[in-house]
Amino acid sequence: ADDGVHVFDVWHHAALRALVGMGGHRGDGASLGALCLPEVDAEQARHSVELLMELGLVERDRDGMLRTTEAHLVAGPDIPVQVVRGFHREAIELGRQALEGIAPQERDISAITASLDEAGFSAARELARELRQKIQSLAHRTSTPDRIYQLGIQIFPVAAPTASETP
């Protein structure tokens, strides 16, 4: 199996990589784990940084500081669907934990229930894609980030499709 798949095995690989990208880290990653919410233990954090270095996603500069080599991770078509689903499960679980464990002024969690037809659902999916792109663009433009966020967007049926009943 491609080692690149392993970067999506657990949520904290991406979070630690993003922390490295914020700069100012010289160690083996253990101290970065303590910055994660929820906290990642030192051994797991060290393993994550080693993996990210092996994959060429993180490197050390001339001064020994950790730095990222590319702006963002992307789960492309070469990543098996079960790996991506596992990553999404973890992201959804992080959202559940944030609902209880992170103050409302530090997060935004909301939900709506909407009645749509097939065209409306397609339009909603496109809006979700556009939102992801806009937030990635915002992240690219942020020159001195001071925090890491996880954005999760879900849209799924909560009732089976029905045909209109006519008298």
Side-chain angles (χ1 to χ4, degrees), residues 5-16 40 44 47-48 51 73 83 86-87 90-91 94:
V5 167
H6 296 301
V7 78
F8 295 100
D9 281 349
V10 291
W11 69 271
H12 61 261
H13 293 323
L16 289 167
V40 175
Q44 289 177 315
H47 170 74
S48 287
L51 174 67
L73 296 173
V83 173
F87 186 81
E90 287 199 349
L94 286 173

Side-chain angles (χ1 to χ4, degrees), residues 48-92:
S48 287
V49 170
E50 288 171 12
L51 174 67
L52 294 167
M53 290 181 79
E54 287 170 17
L55 295 173
L57 297 169
V58 166
E59 64 186 12
R60 290 197 185 276
D61 66 16
R62 282 181 245 143
D63 299 322
M65 300 297 280
L66 291 169
R67 69 178 194 91
T68 55
T69 57
E70 297 177 20
H72 294 281
L73 296 173
V74 177
D78 54 328
I79 305 295
V81 68
Q82 66 269 24
V83 173
V84 175
R85 284 183 182 160
F87 186 81
H88 290 163
R89 267 192 228 66
E90 287 199 349
I92 290 167

Side-chain angles (χ1 to χ4, degrees), residues 36 49 55 94 133 141 147 157 163:
C36 290
V49 170
L55 295 173
L94 286 173
Q133 287 179 337
R141 293 190 316 268
R147 59 199 75 196

Side-chain angles (χ1 to χ4, degrees), residues 151-167:
L151 171 70
I153 302 171
Q154 300 99 38
I155 183 168
F156 52 88
V158 293
T162 60
S164 294
E165 293 182 23
T166 53

Side-chain angles (χ1 to χ4, degrees), residues 13-30:
H13 293 323
L16 289 167
R17 183 173 181 280
L19 281 167
V20 166
M22 287 172 43
H25 303 288
R26 184 183 303 276
D28 60 3

